[in-house]
Amino acid sequence: MVETTEPAQDGTPEPRRLRVFLVDDHAMFRAGVRAELGAHVEVIGEASTVAEAVSRIAATEPDVVLLDVHMPDGGGRAVLEAVRRTRPEVRFLALSVSDAAEDVIGLIRAGARGYVTKTISPDELTAAIRRVADGDAVFSPRLAGFVLDSFASRPDAPVADPELDQLTNREREVLRLLARGYAYKEIAKELFISIKTVETHVSNVLRKLQMSNRYELSRWAADRRLV
Amino acid sequence: MRATTESPRLYRARDHRMVAGVASGIAWHLGIRVVWVRIAFVLLLGFSGLGLLLYAAFWAVVPPRPGGTGPPPRRNVFHLLPFVVIGLAVMLVEVVIFKSGVAGTAGWLVSIIAVGAGVIWHQSAPERRWQWSESLPVPWLGAVVEESDRRAFVLRFIGGGVLVAVGLIGVVAVYRPQGNFDAVINGVIFALVALAGVGVVAAPVLWRTYNQLRAEREGRIREQERAELAAMIHDQVLHTLALIQRNAGDVKMVQRLARGQERSLRSWLYKPAGSPTERLAAALEQAAAEVEDTFAITVEAVVVGDRETDERVGALVAAAREALVNAARHAKVETVSLYAEVEPEQVSVFVRDRGAGFDLATVEDHRHGVRGSIIGRMKRHGGRAEIRSTPGDGTEVRLFLPIPREGTPPGKDR
C-alpha cells in the first residue's frame, strides 16, 4: 500500500524515541508489531481490552497509541473516548484490518489522527507514527476516498454550519491527489504549493471531519450500509 | 377421519381438481374413475349433507400431493357447475320430499361449520400445512398460530370465522323451540362466551406453540448463517492456508494467495454485493482483482461514488483495466493506485504507478495498447485520456468520461 509519506528524512538525528502504546485484542498481532517497531520507537505497553487500555494509557502516558478498531466491549472508539476525556494530548493512530467506511470514519471522527491498515509495511508504519506524533494527520488513499465520499455534496441535506460542513476546493483537490496515491511532496508540486500548506489542508480536513455536522455524516454512514 | 392421514399415499391431486382435488386424490388412490367418486360425494349430500361434510373433512386432513413447486394449474370452474346443480337438486329433493326437517338442517349447519374450518385451514400456505400436519398433534393449531402473512391471516379468519359463527348461531336458533330473535341473540352471546372460554383455555398452549415455532425458526436461520460462514471459510480460507503451507518457500506465491484471500474475505465481510456487470465500482474492483492475480502486484483501489454501467462506462472500465495491465507489465513496481470518482457531470479514473515510466514522444508509436485500448477507446466513447509519464518517476493515466445531464442524478446512485 502506498502511504503518503516522505522518504525517511535521515541526517537529522532522532531527537528521542517515541513512546508508543499498542491496543489490540490479538496477542499475535501485538507481538508482530512490537518486533517490527522495536528498532525505531519504544513500545512502552500493550493492552488487549478496553478497560486495560484506558487505565494503562493513563498510567504510562505514551506519545502515540496504536488502536485497533474491532475489540470486544466497544472497540477502539470506547478507548479513544475514555482517554480523551482525561488526557486530550495523547494521539491516536487507528491500525485496523477493517475496511468498512463506518469503522474508519467513526474512529477518525472520535478523534484519531489517522488510519492505516494492518498490511502497512513497518517503515511506513513508523513514518505514520512519527507524523501523528508531530501533530500531522495520516491519510491513506483509502481514508481520503472515504472522506471525499462523506463530504460529497448533498443538496437535500440540511447544513448546520456551512463553513465546517464543506471542504474548500483546495482541500478537495488535496484529498483527491491523496486518494490517487500521491505523496505530500508530489501534491505540493502538482498544486504549486508548499508541503507545509499541504499539511495544513490535510489537518483542516481532519478537523472538519471531527467537528462537522453529526447528522450529515451518520446519514452518510447509514446510506453506505444500505447500498 | 384420522385413518385417512395414516395412509401414506393418499394425497389430494394437484392438477385434475375441481374444488380441492379430494375426489381426484381418492380416485387415484383407489384406482377407480374420478367421476364415480364425485357422484358418490354428491349423492352422499342427500344424507343430511354428509357428502359435503366428508369432502370438507378430506380437504382438511389430506395433504396435497408433494412435489409440485409452482402454483397448481387453474381449476376449471365450469366443470364444477353440474356437480353444484346436482348437489342442490339432491338437497332440494331431500328437504322438500322427504321433509327430513330438523335433523337435515343440523347436518347442513355442521357442514357449514366444517366448511368454515376448512377455509381457515385451506387458506394457509401448503408447505406450512405440511409441516404442521407432521409436527403438531392437532393440525388446526398451526393455522391459528401462523404468523407470516398478516393479510392472508385476517382474510382466513374473517372468512372461516363467519362461517363458523353462522353455523353456531344456526345450531342455537334451530334447537331453541321458540325460535324467536331473542333466542338467537342469546345464543350468539352464549356462543361468544363459550368461544372466549375456549380461547382463554387454549391461549397458553397456543402461545407456547407459537413461541416454540418462532424459536425453532430463529434457530434454523442462525444455523443457516453459521453453515454459510463455515462453508465460505472452508472453501476459501482453509484451502488457501493449505496452499500457503505447501508453497511456504515461494514468497511471490504466498503473497499472491494471501492477497487474493484478503480481498475476497474483505468483500465478503464489508462490501454489499454488487454485480460487476451493473455497477461501476464493482466492475473496477473486479478489473483490479484480475490484474492483481495475473501479475502478482497490489492494486490499491479507491472508488468514490458509484453508478450504473452502460456501454460507455464499460469502455471506461476496459481502458482502466488496460492501464492497470500496462502498469503491472512495464512499471516494475509492487503497487499501483487506482482511483475513480463519480461526479455529477463526469466519471474520472486515475491509474498511477511509481515505476519505470516512459517517454511518450519516443515510445508511443508502437504502443498499440496505449493508443488503441486507452486513448482510442476513450475517444470513441466521447471521453478523453491523458497520459503523464516521466522516466524514473512513474506514470499516471487519467481517464475522463463526461456524463450527459439526462442520466440519473448521481446522488441517487450511491
Side-chain angles (χ1 to χ4, degrees):
Chain A
M1 120 172 220
V2 178
E3 265 309 303
T4 55
T5 50
E6 311 303 312
Q9 273 155 16
D10 297 325
T12 49
E14 282 187 25
R16 73 189 169 97
R17 275 154 71 91
L18 289 168
R19 294 152 48 81
V20 174
F21 193 95
L22 271 174
V23 182
D24 197 301
D25 55 336
H26 296 102
M28 284 266 279
F29 184 75
R30 289 201 308 273
V33 172
R34 188 188 265 274
E36 281 173 350
L37 289 182
H40 311 283
V41 299
E42 190 183 346
V43 180
I44 56 165
E46 296 176 8
S48 60
T49 64
V50 171
E52 190 190 349
V54 172
S55 67
R56 300 237 14 235
I57 290 170
T60 52
E61 299 192 358
D63 296 315
V64 175
V65 177
L66 285 182
L67 191 59
D68 189 19
V69 178
H70 282 288
M71 285 196 300
D73 301 324
R77 194 160 179 167
V79 178
L80 232 168
E81 279 162 359
V83 173
R84 278 181 75 84
R85 266 200 295 276
T86 52
R87 298 184 186 274
E89 74 282 356
V90 177
R91 299 206 163 105
F92 288 87
L93 176 60
L95 174 63
S96 173
V97 80
S98 167
D99 234 359
E102 299 89 71
D103 292 340
V104 177
I105 294 286
L107 219 62
I108 296 292
R109 280 185 63 80
R113 304 285 304 175
Y115 163 83
V116 292
T117 56
K118 285 184 175 176
T119 49
I120 191 173
S121 74
D123 292 345
E124 286 168 342
L125 181 57
T126 311
I129 291 171
R130 198 149 287 152
R131 278 236 304 272
V132 168
D134 287 346
D136 196 8
V138 173
F139 271 57
S140 65
R142 196 172 292 277
L143 176 55
F146 288 153
V147 174
L148 277 172
D149 231 350
S150 73
F151 278 102
S153 52
R154 284 174 186 283
D156 51 333
V159 175
D161 185 346
E163 277 292 294
L164 210 54
D165 279 345
Q166 272 167 25
L167 299 179
T168 64
N169 280 339
R170 223 16 188 277
E171 286 161 355
R172 217 175 275 275
E173 254 341 277
V174 169
L175 274 185
R176 280 200 183 112
L177 289 170
L178 273 173
R180 276 156 68 178
Y182 280 60
Y184 280 18
K185 197 170 63 182
E186 293 164 325
I187 295 173
K189 210 171 99 192
E190 180 83 15
L191 298 178
F192 303 107
I193 52 180
S194 71
I195 292 179
K196 264 266 150 293
T197 316
V198 176
E199 281 174 10
T200 311
H201 284 311
V202 172
S203 292
N204 284 345
V205 170
L206 190 74
R207 188 177 55 86
K208 286 186 179 182
L209 188 60
Q210 288 169 352
M211 291 165 63
S212 64
N213 183 1
R214 192 165 281 273
Y215 169 78
E216 167 95 353
L217 279 171
S218 60
R219 208 181 79 117
W220 166 79
D223 283 355
R224 288 289 296 211
R225 235 170 275 140
L226 284 178
V227 168
Chain B
M1 246 165 75
R2 279 271 129 196
T4 53
T5 49
E6 276 155 28
S7 167
R9 289 186 310 175
L10 178 56
Y11 297 119
R12 297 202 329 257
R14 270 182 182 273
D15 27 21
H16 305 96
R17 60 184 197 156
M18 282 186 189
V19 182
V22 169
S24 300
I26 292 173
W28 185 84
H29 184 64
L30 298 175
I32 55 175
R33 286 190 60 188
V34 62
V35 71
W36 295 117
V37 182
R38 287 190 177 133
I39 288 172
F41 269 118
V42 170
L43 288 181
L44 281 174
L45 274 177
F47 300 89
S48 303
L50 185 60
L52 195 58
L53 192 62
L54 269 182
Y55 197 95
F58 274 111
W59 185 358
V61 173
V62 177
R65 179 175 298 284
T69 46
R74 288 188 70 84
R75 46 173 85 83
N76 191 341
V77 181
F78 293 104
H79 286 174
L80 201 59
L81 268 178
F83 289 98
V84 171
V85 171
I86 296 168
L88 282 176
V90 170
M91 299 307 298
L92 209 65
V93 166
E94 191 203 10
V95 172
V96 173
I97 299 179
F98 296 100
K99 299 212 191 315
S100 59
V102 172
T105 323
W108 264 108
L109 293 170
V110 170
S111 60
I112 286 177
I113 295 174
V115 169
V119 166
I120 294 183
W121 177 248
H122 188 66
Q123 284 302 307
S124 55
E127 306 79 35
R128 289 279 169 139
R129 213 177 317 145
W130 247 107
Q131 214 173 301
W132 297 328
S133 318
E134 286 169 353
S135 65
L136 296 175
V138 188
W140 300 94
L141 280 181
V144 180
V145 299
E146 209 246 348
E147 40 137 11
S148 63
D149 190 347
R150 196 146 294 193
R151 253 185 65 186
F153 185 82
V154 168
L155 272 178
R156 191 162 70 234
F157 263 73
I158 291 176
V162 163
L163 283 175
V164 172
V166 165
L168 287 176
I169 293 167
V171 169
V172 172
V174 167
Y175 288 99
R176 278 289 173 126
Q178 296 86 359
N180 58 16
F181 190 67
D182 281 350
V184 175
I185 297 289
N186 283 340
V188 170
I189 291 170
F190 180 75
L192 285 178
V193 169
L195 273 179
V198 170
V200 167
V201 171
V205 178
L206 290 181
W207 181 245
R208 206 173 324 137
T209 318
Y210 165 75
N211 272 342
Q212 216 173 324
L213 276 179
R214 202 179 52 180
E216 198 180 300
R217 188 158 145 256
E218 276 170 7
R220 238 192 341 264
I221 290 170
R222 261 200 304 278
E223 195 56 40
Q224 214 168 337
E225 272 171 8
R226 266 174 61 91
E228 205 174 304
L229 183 63
M232 198 273 300
I233 288 178
H234 170 264
D235 288 352
Q236 305 194 351
V237 183
L238 287 184
H239 285 192
T240 308
L241 287 177
L243 276 175
I244 285 176
Q245 285 178 37
R246 290 173 148 219
N247 296 287
D250 187 347
V251 177
K252 276 258 180 231
M253 180 71 169
V254 170
Q255 279 179 346
R256 184 190 304 215
L257 286 167
R259 203 157 34 225
Q261 193 50 57
E262 188 199 339
R263 188 175 55 235
S264 81
L265 261 180
R266 229 172 243 300
S267 70
W268 199 84
L269 286 172
Y270 301 121
K271 296 243 172 68
S275 162
T277 53
E278 286 164 16
R279 309 296 297 178
L280 169 66
L284 281 172
E285 267 152 28
Q286 192 191 38
E290 281 168 19
V291 173
E292 274 193 346
D293 285 345
T294 317
F295 298 96
I297 59 159
T298 306
V299 177
E300 172 89 9
V302 177
V303 182
V304 173
D306 201 357
R307 78 185 301 275
E308 293 104 49
T309 50
D310 51 29
E311 196 196 341
R312 301 172 69 230
V313 173
L316 180 73
V317 172
R321 191 180 187 288
E322 187 62 30
L324 284 174
V325 168
N326 275 347
R329 203 175 268 158
H330 304 294
K332 300 182 183 64
V333 285
E334 297 286 304
T335 310
V336 179
S337 299
L338 167 73
Y339 172 68
E341 185 171 2
V342 180
E343 289 167 282
E345 62 285 343
Q346 74 169 359
V347 183
S348 26
V349 177
F350 303 87
V351 176
R352 158 148 183 113
D353 67 69
R354 293 150 188 287
F358 59 94
D359 191 347
L360 267 176
T362 57
V363 196
E364 207 190 345
D365 273 358
H366 62 269
R367 275 221 169 172
H368 296 293
V370 170
R371 275 207 309 191
S373 300
I374 300 178
I375 300 175
R377 183 181 271 142
M378 290 309 292
K379 212 173 264 171
R380 276 197 299 281
H381 290 88
R384 72 195 155 87
E386 290 170 13
I387 294 171
R388 257 203 212 182
S389 189
T390 333
D393 198 27
T395 308
E396 187 176 59
V397 178
R398 305 166 177 189
L399 310 170
F400 303 97
L401 186 71
I403 297 173
R405 271 276 76 171
E406 70 268 13
T408 35
K412 290 259 155 75
D413 288 343
R414 270 155 218 279

